[in-house]
Every structure is written in C-alpha cells, then in structure tokens.
Amino acid sequence: MLKTEDLQQNSLLRLLTEEELTHLLPSFEKVTLTLGQSLSESGKQMSHVYFPLDAIVSLLCVMEDGASTEIAVVGYEGVVGVSLFMGGETTPSRAIVQSAGQAYRLKGQLLKNEFYRAGSMQRLLLRYTQALLTQMAQTAVCNRHHSLDKQLCRWLLLSLDRLHSNELLMTHELIANMLGVRREGVTEAAGKLQRAGLISYNRGHITVIDRPGLEARVCECYSVVKNEYDRLLNHHAVT
C-alpha cells in the first residue's frame, strides 16, 4: 500500500503539503516504464500523467520523414503531461521513455481537478511548466549555436540530474536521434570526452567519471536550465 513518503520520491510531489498528498494518495498507481515506451503521441490526448522516480522521459518533435529531435527531458524532478492541465489537451511532441524505471501514474482528469482548485498544486505545476519551457527554449538555442561536443555535455548533465547514479544506458545511435544529428558525429564527440577522461563508454553503457570536468566543458545552456529549475521549484517558491 502506498504511503505519502513513497510519492515524495518524486521531487515535484515532495513540494506538496502532507494534506494534499494524503488526498491524492489513493489515486496514484506505481508503474514500470520500459525503454522506448511511448507515453504520449503527437496530437493524441493523454489519459494519465506520469511522475517519474528513476526513469527519464524524452519529449521529442518528430518530422514527417521520421527524423526526431529531443526538446526536453523529464525525470524525478517533474511530470509528463503538462498539456492536460494547461488547457491544450494535446501536443505536437511525443513522450518516449529514454531510460527505463518506475513512475507514479495519475488519471489526467484528477490532476486537472486539482489544478482548477487553484491551490498550491496549481502554483507548483505552473512553475514547473515555466521551468520546462525554459529547458525547451534553451535546447533550441543550444542546438543552433553550440558545437556537438557542448550539446552532448549538456545532454549528459541534464540526464544525470534526473537520475540517482552517474551511469546511462544509451547507444550513440539513440543519442544521435535525441540530438537530431548524425551518429558519426556523436561517436566523434563521445570519443573526445572519453579521451579527456570525462566519461567511459562501452556497448551502450556511459559512465560519467569526471562530472566537474564535464561541467567545465559544457556551454552556458546547462546552467541556465538548472538555475531556472532551482529558482522556480523550491519550497519557498510554491507555498
């Protein structure tokens, strides 16, 4: 049986009051998210929202020819399904599980009901949405103006911030799909990071060895996104 402290494994839910968590507790369901699983498709309304625990979900824009680019990542700091409570109901992007793990699932209508009560849940979700929009905007800027090396550093750090370890299970081909670049470019960029002693890569298994070194090499886009999440999603901001 779920307890309120179980829900608090998700940082966003941790910011709610004990009373709010207790009220919602019976409606949450713990689910396993598998690698490559689709949580939402372009133009289709989601039935549930997902609060990841140790999984990472990529929000992707997909072109008519099948090419895709990641516009944001969501982990235990957030929720997948903001279009449901923002009034749009659907979105052109897809939500695909990038790293398998657990999540808490809640029916979309229940979240909307809580949102429209205009309490702390609404303030929290609005602040999270602003942080998510910042990540999307900065990703677009980064992809346009910065080298692939720096983009890869940003992507690795943002992914690590949403995990409880320094390891990622991800092939170069999948990273290339996320960044919207050629696989050979990712292989070359990852090779530079490995030769610099920042990461270790073997058969789809990436381990960050020197995080400070990675942070020193990344462009300003990472700190812009991280600082905005830290500024907007703290207890003082949403109470």
Side-chain angles (χ1 to χ4, degrees):
M1 185 175 178
L2 286 180
K3 300 178 181 179
T4 55
E5 51 263 37
D6 296 325
L7 298 181
Q8 290 173 340
Q9 294 175 73
N10 176 279
S11 297
L12 202 61
L13 293 176
R14 191 185 306 149
L15 295 174
L16 294 175
T17 65
E18 185 77 16
E19 181 181 355
E20 286 171 311
L21 285 177
T22 301
H23 171 68
L24 290 170
L25 188 61
S27 303
F28 276 99
E29 176 189 6
K30 192 173 186 179
V31 295
T32 298
L33 304 182
T34 59
L35 179 64
Q37 179 182 349
S38 172
L39 302 184
S40 72
E41 290 293 336
S42 174
K44 294 184 179 180
Q45 183 174 340
M46 294 178 66
S47 59
H48 295 78
V49 293
Y50 296 82
F51 294 85
L53 303 180
D54 56 356
I56 296 181
V57 179
S58 291
L59 305 184
L60 301 169
C61 275
V62 184
M63 308 302 287
E64 289 182 355
D65 63 1
S68 63
T69 301
E70 183 179 81
I71 56 175
V73 288
V74 180
Y76 69 85
E77 86 299 340
V79 59
V80 179
V82 298
S83 60
L84 281 172
F85 57 80
M86 292 300 291
E89 302 295 342
T90 66
T91 174
S93 63
R94 300 176 67 196
I96 302 295
V97 178
Q98 176 197 114
S99 181
Q102 304 291 312
Y104 285 116
R105 186 170 72 173
L106 183 68
K107 288 184 178 179
Q109 186 59 52
L110 290 176
L111 186 69
K112 287 197 287 186
N113 293 343
E114 287 299 311
F115 184 83
Y116 294 138
R117 286 173 60 190
S120 61
M121 172 70 91
Q122 184 186 81
R123 295 192 295 274
L124 176 62
L125 291 175
L126 286 175
R127 285 180 172 272
Y128 172 73
T129 301
Q130 181 177 337
L132 187 65
L133 289 173
T134 298
Q135 184 187 166
M136 292 177 176
Q138 204 66 38
T139 296
V141 171
C142 188
N143 290 348
R144 175 66 179 83
H145 292 285
H146 293 146
S147 68
L148 182 52
D149 290 17
K150 292 185 181 298
Q151 291 179 48
L152 181 57
C153 289
R154 170 185 56 81
W155 184 85
L156 286 170
L157 288 169
L158 287 176
S159 296
L160 286 183
D161 286 347
R162 287 150 180 81
L163 290 173
H164 297 287
S165 74
N166 65 336
E167 299 181 355
L168 289 164
L169 295 177
M170 184 69 59
T171 65
H172 285 182
E173 184 172 0
L174 286 174
I175 296 174
N177 290 338
M178 298 297 176
L179 296 178
V181 298
R182 295 170 63 248
R183 181 182 60 80
E184 291 80 5
V186 172
T187 299
E188 181 181 349
K192 289 180 181 178
L193 298 182
Q194 183 160 255
R195 288 191 294 274
L198 303 179
I199 68 170
S200 172
Y201 178 82
N202 184 39
R203 297 182 181 275
H205 191 102
I206 301 174
T207 302
V208 174
I209 301 171
D210 182 2
R211 175 162 183 150
L214 208 60
E215 291 176 344
R217 194 170 183 132
V218 74
C219 53
E220 72 267 25
C221 297
Y222 170 67
S223 62
V224 168
V225 173
K226 186 177 187 305
N227 291 342
E228 192 70 347
Y229 272 84
D230 291 344
R231 180 181 74 86
L232 291 167
L233 299 174
N234 60 71
H235 182 73
H236 177 72
V238 297
T239 53

mmCIF file of all heavy atoms in Angstrom, residues 211-235:
data_model
loop_
_atom_site.group_PDB
_atom_site.id
_atom_site.type_symbol
_atom_site.label_atom_id
_atom_site.label_comp_id
_atom_site.label_asym_id
_atom_site.label_seq_id
_atom_site.Cartn_x
_atom_site.Cartn_y
_atom_site.Cartn_z
ATOM 1 N N ARG A 211 32.584 14.499 -13.354
ATOM 2 C CA ARG A 211 31.490 15.444 -13.554
ATOM 3 C C ARG A 211 31.965 16.902 -13.526
ATOM 4 O O ARG A 211 31.531 17.691 -14.361
ATOM 5 C CB ARG A 211 30.386 15.207 -12.518
ATOM 6 C CG ARG A 211 29.290 16.252 -12.630
ATOM 7 C CD ARG A 211 27.995 15.893 -11.994
ATOM 8 N NE ARG A 211 27.043 16.961 -12.255
ATOM 9 C CZ ARG A 211 25.746 16.785 -12.364
ATOM 10 N NH1 ARG A 211 25.225 15.580 -12.246
ATOM 11 N NH2 ARG A 211 24.949 17.811 -12.594
ATOM 12 N N PRO A 212 32.821 17.308 -12.573
ATOM 13 C CA PRO A 212 33.305 18.694 -12.612
ATOM 14 C C PRO A 212 33.968 19.043 -13.938
ATOM 15 O O PRO A 212 33.819 20.159 -14.441
ATOM 16 C CB PRO A 212 34.298 18.747 -11.446
ATOM 17 C CG PRO A 212 33.809 17.708 -10.495
ATOM 18 C CD PRO A 212 33.307 16.602 -11.368
ATOM 19 N N GLY A 213 34.692 18.085 -14.508
ATOM 20 C CA GLY A 213 35.324 18.327 -15.799
ATOM 21 C C GLY A 213 34.296 18.504 -16.898
ATOM 22 O O GLY A 213 34.469 19.332 -17.801
ATOM 23 N N LEU A 214 33.214 17.726 -16.817
ATOM 24 C CA LEU A 214 32.127 17.847 -17.789
ATOM 25 C C LEU A 214 31.440 19.207 -17.651
ATOM 26 O O LEU A 214 31.110 19.861 -18.648
ATOM 27 C CB LEU A 214 31.124 16.718 -17.563
ATOM 28 C CG LEU A 214 30.299 16.231 -18.762
ATOM 29 C CD1 LEU A 214 31.195 15.710 -19.872
ATOM 30 C CD2 LEU A 214 29.330 15.156 -18.312
ATOM 31 N N GLU A 215 31.244 19.644 -16.403
ATOM 32 C CA GLU A 215 30.607 20.937 -16.157
ATOM 33 C C GLU A 215 31.483 22.088 -16.633
ATOM 34 O O GLU A 215 30.979 23.127 -17.068
ATOM 35 C CB GLU A 215 30.291 21.082 -14.670
ATOM 36 C CG GLU A 215 29.188 20.139 -14.194
ATOM 37 C CD GLU A 215 28.954 20.213 -12.697
ATOM 38 O OE1 GLU A 215 29.828 20.764 -11.986
ATOM 39 O OE2 GLU A 215 27.915 19.723 -12.228
ATOM 40 N N ALA A 216 32.809 21.909 -16.557
ATOM 41 C CA ALA A 216 33.718 22.947 -17.024
ATOM 42 C C ALA A 216 33.719 23.051 -18.544
ATOM 43 O O ALA A 216 34.033 24.095 -19.104
ATOM 44 C CB ALA A 216 35.137 22.669 -16.516
ATOM 45 N N ARG A 217 33.350 21.979 -19.198
ATOM 46 C CA ARG A 217 33.399 21.916 -20.669
ATOM 47 C C ARG A 217 32.063 22.314 -21.306
ATOM 48 O O ARG A 217 32.035 22.701 -22.479
ATOM 49 C CB ARG A 217 33.768 20.490 -21.072
ATOM 50 C CG ARG A 217 34.190 20.347 -22.523
ATOM 51 C CD ARG A 217 34.755 18.944 -22.740
ATOM 52 N NE ARG A 217 35.236 18.741 -24.082
ATOM 53 C CZ ARG A 217 36.410 18.223 -24.395
ATOM 54 N NH1 ARG A 217 37.254 17.905 -23.423
ATOM 55 N NH2 ARG A 217 36.766 18.039 -25.645
ATOM 56 N N VAL A 218 30.969 22.217 -20.552
ATOM 57 C CA VAL A 218 29.640 22.443 -21.124
ATOM 58 C C VAL A 218 29.406 23.933 -21.394
ATOM 59 O O VAL A 218 30.041 24.799 -20.778
ATOM 60 C CB VAL A 218 28.551 21.888 -20.177
ATOM 61 C CG1 VAL A 218 28.372 22.787 -18.950
ATOM 62 C CG2 VAL A 218 27.229 21.697 -20.904
ATOM 63 N N CYS A 219 28.485 24.229 -22.319
ATOM 64 C CA CYS A 219 28.119 25.618 -22.607
ATOM 65 C C CYS A 219 27.216 26.164 -21.500
ATOM 66 O O CYS A 219 26.790 25.431 -20.604
ATOM 67 C CB CYS A 219 27.389 25.701 -23.951
ATOM 68 S SG CYS A 219 25.969 24.587 -24.084
ATOM 69 N N GLU A 220 26.908 27.458 -21.577
ATOM 70 C CA GLU A 220 26.098 28.091 -20.535
ATOM 71 C C GLU A 220 24.661 27.598 -20.493
ATOM 72 O O GLU A 220 23.928 27.833 -19.516
ATOM 73 C CB GLU A 220 26.100 29.615 -20.701
ATOM 74 C CG GLU A 220 25.298 30.126 -21.893
ATOM 75 C CD GLU A 220 26.129 30.298 -23.140
ATOM 76 O OE1 GLU A 220 27.175 29.608 -23.275
ATOM 77 O OE2 GLU A 220 25.744 31.128 -23.983
ATOM 78 N N CYS A 221 24.231 26.894 -21.550
ATOM 79 C CA CYS A 221 22.844 26.425 -21.627
ATOM 80 C C CYS A 221 22.479 25.514 -20.454
ATOM 81 O O CYS A 221 21.355 25.552 -19.959
ATOM 82 C CB CYS A 221 22.609 25.707 -22.951
ATOM 83 S SG CYS A 221 22.811 26.785 -24.387
ATOM 84 N N TYR A 222 23.436 24.697 -20.020
ATOM 85 C CA TYR A 222 23.152 23.807 -18.893
ATOM 86 C C TYR A 222 22.849 24.593 -17.628
ATOM 87 O O TYR A 222 21.851 24.327 -16.942
ATOM 88 C CB TYR A 222 24.336 22.864 -18.651
ATOM 89 C CG TYR A 222 24.212 22.099 -17.355
ATOM 90 C CD1 TYR A 222 23.216 21.150 -17.176
ATOM 91 C CD2 TYR A 222 25.073 22.364 -16.283
ATOM 92 C CE1 TYR A 222 23.081 20.468 -15.974
ATOM 93 C CE2 TYR A 222 24.951 21.681 -15.087
ATOM 94 C CZ TYR A 222 23.946 20.738 -14.936
ATOM 95 O OH TYR A 222 23.802 20.071 -13.745
ATOM 96 N N SER A 223 23.670 25.576 -17.292
ATOM 97 C CA SER A 223 23.462 26.336 -16.058
ATOM 98 C C SER A 223 22.195 27.186 -16.130
ATOM 99 O O SER A 223 21.519 27.375 -15.119
ATOM 100 C CB SER A 223 24.679 27.212 -15.740
ATOM 101 O OG SER A 223 24.899 28.160 -16.770
ATOM 102 N N VAL A 224 21.865 27.699 -17.319
ATOM 103 C CA VAL A 224 20.631 28.475 -17.469
ATOM 104 C C VAL A 224 19.427 27.617 -17.089
ATOM 105 O O VAL A 224 18.545 28.032 -16.320
ATOM 106 C CB VAL A 224 20.481 28.996 -18.918
ATOM 107 C CG1 VAL A 224 19.072 29.553 -19.143
ATOM 108 C CG2 VAL A 224 21.512 30.077 -19.205
ATOM 109 N N VAL A 225 19.389 26.396 -17.618
ATOM 110 C CA VAL A 225 18.273 25.483 -17.335
ATOM 111 C C VAL A 225 18.267 25.066 -15.868
ATOM 112 O O VAL A 225 17.236 25.118 -15.185
ATOM 113 C CB VAL A 225 18.343 24.243 -18.240
ATOM 114 C CG1 VAL A 225 17.280 23.219 -17.837
ATOM 115 C CG2 VAL A 225 18.152 24.650 -19.701
ATOM 116 N N LYS A 226 19.422 24.660 -15.354
ATOM 117 C CA LYS A 226 19.495 24.187 -13.970
ATOM 118 C C LYS A 226 19.126 25.291 -12.984
ATOM 119 O O LYS A 226 18.375 25.058 -12.022
ATOM 120 C CB LYS A 226 20.899 23.672 -13.649
ATOM 121 C CG LYS A 226 21.017 23.036 -12.270
ATOM 122 C CD LYS A 226 22.401 22.488 -12.033
ATOM 123 C CE LYS A 226 22.465 21.704 -10.724
ATOM 124 N NZ LYS A 226 22.008 22.497 -9.562
ATOM 125 N N ASN A 227 19.630 26.499 -13.213
ATOM 126 C CA ASN A 227 19.338 27.600 -12.300
ATOM 127 C C ASN A 227 17.857 27.956 -12.297
ATOM 128 O O ASN A 227 17.298 28.324 -11.258
ATOM 129 C CB ASN A 227 20.165 28.831 -12.679
ATOM 130 C CG ASN A 227 21.640 28.650 -12.403
ATOM 131 O OD1 ASN A 227 22.032 27.769 -11.630
ATOM 132 N ND2 ASN A 227 22.472 29.454 -13.039
ATOM 133 N N GLU A 228 17.222 27.836 -13.460
ATOM 134 C CA GLU A 228 15.795 28.160 -13.524
ATOM 135 C C GLU A 228 14.963 27.109 -12.788
ATOM 136 O O GLU A 228 14.005 27.444 -12.089
ATOM 137 C CB GLU A 228 15.352 28.274 -14.991
ATOM 138 C CG GLU A 228 13.972 28.873 -15.187
ATOM 139 C CD GLU A 228 13.894 30.362 -14.866
ATOM 140 O OE1 GLU A 228 14.845 30.918 -14.254
ATOM 141 O OE2 GLU A 228 12.875 30.983 -15.212
ATOM 142 N N TYR A 229 15.327 25.852 -12.917
ATOM 143 C CA TYR A 229 14.645 24.799 -12.153
ATOM 144 C C TYR A 229 14.836 25.034 -10.653
ATOM 145 O O TYR A 229 13.890 24.934 -9.867
ATOM 146 C CB TYR A 229 15.165 23.417 -12.540
ATOM 147 C CG TYR A 229 14.442 22.789 -13.716
ATOM 148 C CD1 TYR A 229 14.812 23.099 -15.019
ATOM 149 C CD2 TYR A 229 13.402 21.895 -13.530
ATOM 150 C CE1 TYR A 229 14.153 22.530 -16.106
ATOM 151 C CE2 TYR A 229 12.737 21.315 -14.604
ATOM 152 C CZ TYR A 229 13.124 21.637 -15.890
ATOM 153 O OH TYR A 229 12.465 21.074 -16.963
ATOM 154 N N ASP A 230 16.065 25.335 -10.258
ATOM 155 C CA ASP A 230 16.347 25.560 -8.836
ATOM 156 C C ASP A 230 15.592 26.775 -8.308
ATOM 157 O O ASP A 230 15.098 26.768 -7.178
ATOM 158 C CB ASP A 230 17.853 25.766 -8.623
ATOM 159 C CG ASP A 230 18.653 24.487 -8.868
ATOM 160 O OD1 ASP A 230 18.042 23.403 -8.899
ATOM 161 O OD2 ASP A 230 19.890 24.593 -9.030
ATOM 162 N N ARG A 231 15.492 27.816 -9.125
ATOM 163 C CA ARG A 231 14.818 29.045 -8.693
ATOM 164 C C ARG A 231 13.305 28.854 -8.550
ATOM 165 O O ARG A 231 12.686 29.312 -7.588
ATOM 166 C CB ARG A 231 15.075 30.156 -9.719
ATOM 167 C CG ARG A 231 14.421 31.501 -9.368
ATOM 168 C CD ARG A 231 14.708 32.534 -10.449
ATOM 169 N NE ARG A 231 13.924 32.302 -11.654
ATOM 170 C CZ ARG A 231 12.680 32.782 -11.817
ATOM 171 N NH1 ARG A 231 12.085 33.479 -10.865
ATOM 172 N NH2 ARG A 231 12.035 32.556 -12.959
ATOM 173 N N LEU A 232 12.724 28.144 -9.502
ATOM 174 C CA LEU A 232 11.265 28.022 -9.540
ATOM 175 C C LEU A 232 10.724 26.894 -8.669
ATOM 176 O O LEU A 232 9.618 26.988 -8.138
ATOM 177 C CB LEU A 232 10.803 27.799 -10.985
ATOM 178 C CG LEU A 232 10.955 28.983 -11.924
ATOM 179 C CD1 LEU A 232 10.774 28.555 -13.370
ATOM 180 C CD2 LEU A 232 9.953 30.076 -11.568
ATOM 181 N N LEU A 233 11.505 25.831 -8.516
ATOM 182 C CA LEU A 233 10.988 24.648 -7.844
ATOM 183 C C LEU A 233 11.665 24.440 -6.505
ATOM 184 O O LEU A 233 12.468 23.525 -6.302
ATOM 185 C CB LEU A 233 11.160 23.418 -8.739
ATOM 186 C CG LEU A 233 10.405 23.507 -10.065
ATOM 187 C CD1 LEU A 233 10.728 22.343 -10.961
ATOM 188 C CD2 LEU A 233 8.901 23.596 -9.821
ATOM 189 N N ASN A 234 11.362 25.314 -5.588
ATOM 190 C CA ASN A 234 11.797 25.135 -4.215
ATOM 191 C C ASN A 234 10.601 25.395 -3.312
ATOM 192 O O ASN A 234 9.601 25.973 -3.718
ATOM 193 C CB ASN A 234 12.980 26.052 -3.870
ATOM 194 C CG ASN A 234 12.633 27.514 -4.040
ATOM 195 O OD1 ASN A 234 11.866 28.068 -3.255
ATOM 196 N ND2 ASN A 234 13.185 28.159 -5.065
ATOM 197 N N HIS A 235 10.704 24.974 -2.067
ATOM 198 C CA HIS A 235 9.554 25.044 -1.156
ATOM 199 C C HIS A 235 9.046 26.472 -0.977
ATOM 200 O O HIS A 235 7.840 26.730 -0.982
ATOM 201 C CB HIS A 235 9.937 24.449 0.201
ATOM 202 C CG HIS A 235 8.809 24.430 1.170
ATOM 203 N ND1 HIS A 235 7.752 23.548 1.052
ATOM 204 C CD2 HIS A 235 8.540 25.201 2.264
ATOM 205 C CE1 HIS A 235 6.883 23.769 2.041
ATOM 206 N NE2 HIS A 235 7.332 24.748 2.783
#
